[in-house]
Amino acid sequence: MASSTSLPAPRSRPKKPLGKMADWFRQALQKKPAKMPGSPESAPSDSPRTPSQAGPAPSGLSASTSPAPPAAHEGACSDSGTGSGRWSRDYDVCVCHSEEDLAAAQELVSYLEGSAASLRCFLQLRDAAPGGAIVSELCQALSSSHCRVLLITPGFLRDPWCRYQMLQALSEAPGAEGRTIPLLSGLSRAAYPPELRFMYYVDGRGPDGGFRQVREAVLHYLRTLG
């Protein structure tokens, strides 16, 4: 048999020592890429964020502190211990009465206005604006007065207009104690209107017709105004 021709063995590539190769991989794995400024991977700061770092405020909201509300306006007038609240309305008393009791109402108004306190009274036939509507003038007078005196007589109970005055006075201040003062004159207790049953009334059978007690009730309320 012919001898086979032996081929030269291929040249092997030089190999790095295994120890040096392992060191190279170890260094490559331990080496970290440089962090960019503002990168999401940057570690959060422990210090609290200031308002400027928290981002812009939502639209429509001011970032500045809102100013404190202004102080409430205080009245500049005061008179004989009744306080500035007395002058917040045009009248101290509005007298509601029937037409047939006009003389008694005028007598009561003269007594209140002539007292040392000089109470300001509204008497419809005397103080209503000429040409004004009767209902609107009454409503304006009630809302412009601190107290309302209801002169309750037989004529008052017969007159539908007086009943309207009474109901309007109650609706203006339903829960304000001392503002509505019933003066019962010429009637028994049984005739006292049921709409006023939760209120004490002034008995007009006394020597002064109850006028002094009405005045004291008005002054007492005015003193509560401060």
Side-chain angles (χ1 to χ4, degrees):
M1 292 180 63
S3 60
S4 60
T5 304
S6 60
L7 297 176
R11 298 177 61 183
S12 60
R13 299 176 64 182
K15 297 180 180 179
K16 292 184 179 181
L18 293 176
K20 293 183 178 180
M21 182 70 70
D23 291 340
W24 183 85
F25 275 111
R26 188 179 299 111
Q27 293 176 3
L29 292 174
Q30 292 178 351
K31 188 177 180 181
K32 295 182 179 180
K35 295 179 181 180
M36 298 296 291
S39 170
E41 297 179 357
S42 58
S45 173
D46 294 336
S47 59
R49 301 179 68 182
T50 61
S52 60
Q53 295 173 338
S59 60
L61 298 179
S62 172
S64 60
T65 304
S66 58
H73 176 72
E74 298 181 356
C77 301
S78 62
D79 179 63
S80 61
T82 57
S84 59
R86 177 182 178 184
W87 309 108
S88 61
R89 298 179 186 267
D90 296 333
Y91 300 98
D92 298 319
V93 187
C94 176
V95 179
C96 300
H97 61 91
S98 67
E99 287 190 17
E100 63 184 79
D101 296 319
L102 177 59
Q106 290 174 330
E107 185 179 354
L108 172 61
V109 168
S110 298
Y111 178 87
L112 297 177
E113 292 179 339
S115 63
S118 299
L119 296 176
R120 301 165 299 161
C121 299
F122 179 89
L123 191 61
Q124 190 168 10
L125 294 180
R126 182 192 68 179
D127 301 315
I134 295 176
V135 174
S136 60
E137 286 293 314
L138 171 66
C139 294
Q140 179 65 28
L142 291 174
S143 61
S144 301
S145 302
H146 288 296
C147 298
R148 301 85 189 260
V149 174
L150 305 178
L151 184 54
I152 302 175
T153 64
F156 188 97
L157 297 181
R158 289 192 298 266
D159 193 343
W161 169 244
C162 292
R163 177 177 174 80
Y164 178 83
Q165 293 182 71
M166 177 180 65
L167 297 178
Q168 190 66 30
L170 294 176
S171 65
E172 284 286 337
E177 295 185 3
R179 293 195 64 184
T180 301
I181 306 170
L183 173 56
L184 197 65
S185 179
L187 292 171
S188 64
R189 182 182 179 87
Y192 191 56
E195 294 86 353
L196 305 174
R197 62 186 179 275
F198 56 90
M199 293 182 179
Y200 287 112
Y201 62 88
V202 175
D203 191 347
R205 293 177 297 181
D208 61 354
F211 291 179
R212 182 188 62 82
Q213 195 172 352
V214 170
R215 182 195 64 193
E216 294 302 320
V218 174
L219 293 177
H220 175 73
Y221 179 79
L222 294 179
R223 283 192 291 267
T224 65
L225 300 178

